[in-house]
Amino acid sequence: MKILALVDCNNFYVSCERVFDPSLRNRPAVVLSNNDGCVIARSQEAKDVGVPMGAPAFKYKVFFEKHGVSVFSSNYALYGDMSQRVVNTLATFAPSMEVYSIDESFLEFGGHDLNNLESIGHEMRNKVLKWTGIPVSVGFGPTKTLAKAANRFAKKESWTNGVFGLCDLDKNDKFLEKIPVSDLWGIGRKTGKKLIDRKITTARLFKNLPDLWIKENLTITGLHTALELRGISCFSLENSPPPKKTIVTSRSFGKPISTLQELEESVAAYMTRAAEKLRRQQSLTGGIMIFLATNPHNSLPQYSNSTTKMFPVATDYTPDLITAALNGIKSIYRPGYKFKKTGVVLLDLVHKHNRQANLLELADSESKVKKNKLMKILDAANTRFGKGTLNYASEGINQPWQMTRNHKSPDYTTCWAEIPKIK
């Protein structure tokens, strides 16, 4: 029997900040969303003093000061790098692994490890903490859903010491009885309410429902969740994430902007980031969509629009994509409005090396080779020396439209100028 482990980083964003500022330990701390909007991560101490998830930062300013809550803007460069370090550490424990999210990974172990799971779990916790400074919780189970449920106990119950397993199917019911059905992995808020209205309040009650009823009322996905709770694996491990079918890059501005030049800079910058993601997953795009919008939550005149441009030959060449994006934003721009947001969407993605050939590419084969070489050089430089080392002029220099991050910590691990100093 295969055993899966779900390793979940505890309060991940806050933990990343604590790694480089030990004075934050045992103190309340929160991380805010884009433009310092609302709370998206809390330390346990912040939860204890009553900071709710999603709390608007401007409303809680006095509260934060009163309770000594340290506030940070989101620093995704730091979090992404720390996440990769955790993943690299976990990869030393099992050959098969799925990176499920920035702070969660599934690992697969053989049945011969069944008697050593607790020691393996503690070894993983200790090694990740020693190598990266990030605390993690480990849940074991014969299926993904049971591993996820076990991790809930590992994280919330101190008697588990951060490691717990739901591998004995005959003894699982007493633990599943303690899990609200709406907290189950794969059961959303709407479905959870639907089940609770029918007096199905716990994971154990849901697991024991008739298959036909589940399939008729919750579709095949709900049935798979119930089967997984019974120990029957329905969700396999994905060793590599499937390529995205569309790529969206968009941000709200730090302040409203109204000039075409600033809108063009933002669209060029977003297109550059989107094209980097496109090449990273070895894809080409057959078209793009550009959109802009004002802020619907104020009383100023409102305007939003979008435009789509399809290419005769799919491409991943950033200059061509930026040119199309700039033409698009010009065509939908209207003066006199205060814009809150722009964005780009890459459409009709195909794999670069496994797709329908196009006769139009033959006439451009020499140029295509040069474009590929240029993109490889740019990507390699920005990977080696840091994001934004080489930029396109159309992205602008100062970029005053960038989102607000008044409480951002340094990029300790991704920028040479901001590397931590030991005094």
Side-chain angles (χ1 to χ4, degrees), residues 52-121:
M53 185 65 91
F58 74 96
K59 283 187 177 180
Y60 276 76
K61 186 176 180 181
V62 175
F63 183 92
F64 291 156
E65 292 174 353
K66 179 180 178 181
H67 293 276
V69 179
S70 298
V71 179
F72 293 90
S73 305
S74 49
N75 185 348
Y76 294 113
L78 174 65
Y79 308 151
D81 185 68
M82 293 301 294
S83 173
Q84 189 58 50
R85 292 171 187 230
V86 171
V87 168
N88 291 342
T89 306
L90 293 176
T92 63
F93 286 93
S96 297
M97 178 176 173
E98 174 187 339
V99 180
Y100 180 66
S101 67
I102 193 170
D103 61 349
E104 293 179 297
S105 294
F106 285 101
L107 287 79
E108 185 177 289
F109 295 90
H112 59 279
D113 294 316
L114 190 59
N115 296 324
N116 301 318
L117 292 181
E118 186 171 353
S119 61
I120 291 173

Side-chain angles (χ1 to χ4, degrees), residues 160-381:
T160 64
N161 293 319
V163 179
F164 187 68
L166 288 173
C167 301
D168 189 339
L169 300 180
D170 295 330
K171 299 179 180 178
N172 283 351
D173 276 3
K174 66 178 180 180
F175 297 104
L176 296 180
E177 181 67 29
K178 299 178 181 179
I179 301 178
V181 68
S182 56
D183 287 356
L184 270 177
W185 188 48
I187 301 293
R189 184 178 301 177
K190 188 176 178 180
T191 303
K193 184 178 184 305
K194 185 177 179 180
L195 291 166
I196 292 171
D197 288 344
R198 288 167 171 76
K199 310 298 182 188
I200 305 162
T201 55
T202 69
R204 184 186 68 81
L205 293 174
F206 174 70
K207 184 198 77 170
N208 294 329
L209 287 172
D211 291 355
L212 185 59
W213 186 93
I214 298 176
K215 190 174 180 181
E216 286 181 348
N217 289 275
L218 305 181
T219 73
I220 192 66
T221 303
L223 179 58
H224 285 166
T225 298
L227 292 173
E228 286 242 322
L229 288 173
R230 300 171 196 166
I232 302 170
S233 179
C234 298
F235 304 131
S236 59
L237 205 66
E238 296 179 355
N239 292 316
S240 60
K244 297 178 180 178
K245 296 180 179 178
T246 60
I247 293 176
V248 182
T249 304
S250 177
R251 296 282 188 280
S252 295
F253 302 130
K255 62 178 183 179
I257 63 174
S258 55
T259 68
L260 177 59
Q261 179 185 342
E262 289 176 308
L263 293 173
E264 288 178 330
E265 288 182 2
S266 68
V267 167
Y270 297 155
M271 184 56 79
T272 301
R273 302 289 90 76
E276 289 171 350
K277 296 176 185 175
L278 183 72
R279 291 192 292 274
R280 203 175 300 142
Q281 71 168 32
Q282 297 285 302
S283 294
L284 304 174
T285 180
I288 63 171
M289 184 176 79
I290 308 299
F291 63 87
L292 53 71
T294 53
N295 186 351
H297 302 295
N298 63 33
S299 57
L300 297 174
Q302 299 293 312
Y303 172 68
S304 62
N305 205 346
S306 65
T307 183
T308 301
K309 162 72 175 175
M310 303 305 293
F311 303 115
V313 177
T315 181
D316 63 356
Y317 187 55
T318 302
D320 287 348
L321 294 171
I322 290 179
T323 299
L326 295 180
N327 290 334
I329 198 70
K330 284 177 186 172
S331 70
I332 58 176
Y333 170 73
R334 298 291 182 272
Y337 294 95
K338 298 287 188 181
F339 292 100
K340 177 66 175 174
K341 187 176 190 178
T342 58
V344 303
V345 184
L346 304 187
L347 309 166
D348 196 20
L349 304 190
V350 293
H351 194 279
K352 189 172 185 176
H353 305 295
N354 184 19
R355 60 192 171 87
Q356 181 70 45
N358 190 326
L359 290 175
L360 296 176
E361 295 180 62
L362 297 177
D364 197 32
S365 57
E366 187 175 343
S367 171
K368 183 180 173 183
V369 172
K370 290 181 179 178
K371 290 178 178 179
N372 284 337
K373 287 182 178 178
L374 178 58
M375 290 300 97
K376 284 182 179 178
I377 291 171
L378 281 169
D379 290 340

